[in-house]
Amino acid sequence: MADSGGTSSTFYVLLLLLFSLLSTTHCFVPDDKKNCMYAVTVETTCTKGADTSNHVSLRFGDTNSNDIVVRRLNSKQVRRVDPLQPQVLDDMSRKPFQACMVDQFQVTGKCVTSPICYLYLKLVGADDWRPGFVQVRSLEGPHLSSNYFYFRRVLPRHVWHGFDTCPGEVTPFGIKRNRKV
């Protein structure tokens, strides 16, 4: 009988240890509900007819499949920025995407865990738009910010158009990406 009592006490100790481990593992699970802030800088080129009044959507993310989609860049949060310096010239509500202008938007979305390496724009409407560059800065940490994505051409309408500079492995069958598409 002494053996069964020792075995049952060992069982209870192991059971308590298991429950304590299960109760603390939630600390190691990433919080997918947390949102982060991003500053999106968009330049419109100075060519004739480069501006637009269409809806512009934005999609960006990192190699870890953290995908942020902004259905419409909001004109209420637009700021005009000096193209040569990151200095804000005004904070007035105005129409974005005018020729020779650099606009800045503040966006909230899922947090990235590695540097932003892809960015796509989508133009919905009847007129053309010719963006110059787009950059996304993570306000959580500058090491997560993107490089500049240069467009410098008229954006096609109603399709996602942009760049994916995420690292990948070249195989005989194409480029193999680590992230989910």
Side-chain angles (χ1 to χ4, degrees):
M1 282 223 173
D3 284 337
S4 67
T7 306
S8 64
S9 65
T10 305
F11 174 74
Y12 287 122
V13 168
L14 288 174
L15 193 62
L16 285 173
L17 181 62
L18 179 66
F19 282 130
S20 67
L21 284 174
L22 288 175
S23 66
T24 59
T25 56
H26 73 277
C27 296
F28 300 110
V29 176
D31 186 11
D32 291 338
K33 305 261 190 271
K34 184 181 176 208
N35 284 332
C36 293
M37 298 288 289
Y38 302 95
V40 179
T41 305
V42 180
E43 178 209 33
T44 300
T45 60
C46 294
T47 59
K48 184 179 180 194
D51 60 330
T52 187
S53 59
N54 289 342
H55 296 240
V56 175
S57 299
L58 172 71
R59 178 180 210 148
F60 63 92
D62 64 0
T63 57
N64 298 325
S65 301
N66 295 309
D67 192 44
I68 296 94
V69 178
V70 180
R71 301 272 178 228
R72 182 178 181 189
L73 288 175
N74 191 351
S75 62
K76 291 180 183 173
Q77 296 178 354
V78 72
R79 296 171 4 165
R80 188 166 62 105
V81 179
D82 183 354
L84 301 177
Q85 300 290 326
Q87 174 183 352
V88 175
L89 298 179
D90 67 12
D91 260 340
M92 298 182 63
S93 182
R94 63 177 181 76
K95 187 175 164 186
F97 313 121
Q98 297 298 305
C100 292
M101 297 296 273
V102 178
D103 300 307
Q104 191 174 69
F105 303 89
Q106 198 167 42
V107 173
T108 304
K110 186 193 289 188
C111 294
V112 295
T113 55
S114 63
I116 296 166
C117 60
Y118 68 90
L119 183 135
Y120 296 96
L121 295 172
K122 184 175 175 182
L123 182 66
V124 178
D127 57 343
D128 292 331
W129 179 45
R130 189 172 178 155
F133 68 80
V134 179
Q135 186 202 25
V136 180
R137 286 186 303 113
S138 172
L139 301 181
E140 306 300 317
H143 65 285
L144 299 173
S145 299
S146 75
N147 292 324
Y148 286 91
F149 293 97
Y150 292 96
F151 289 85
R152 304 266 186 236
R153 60 183 165 270
V154 175
L155 213 60
R157 286 185 227 126
H158 305 285
V159 296
W160 289 106
H161 184 74
F163 303 96
D164 185 341
T165 60
C166 298
E169 177 185 346
V170 178
T171 68
F173 304 105
I175 298 175
K176 180 181 173 186
R177 300 284 184 202
N178 295 334
R179 68 179 180 87
K180 299 175 198 167
V181 178

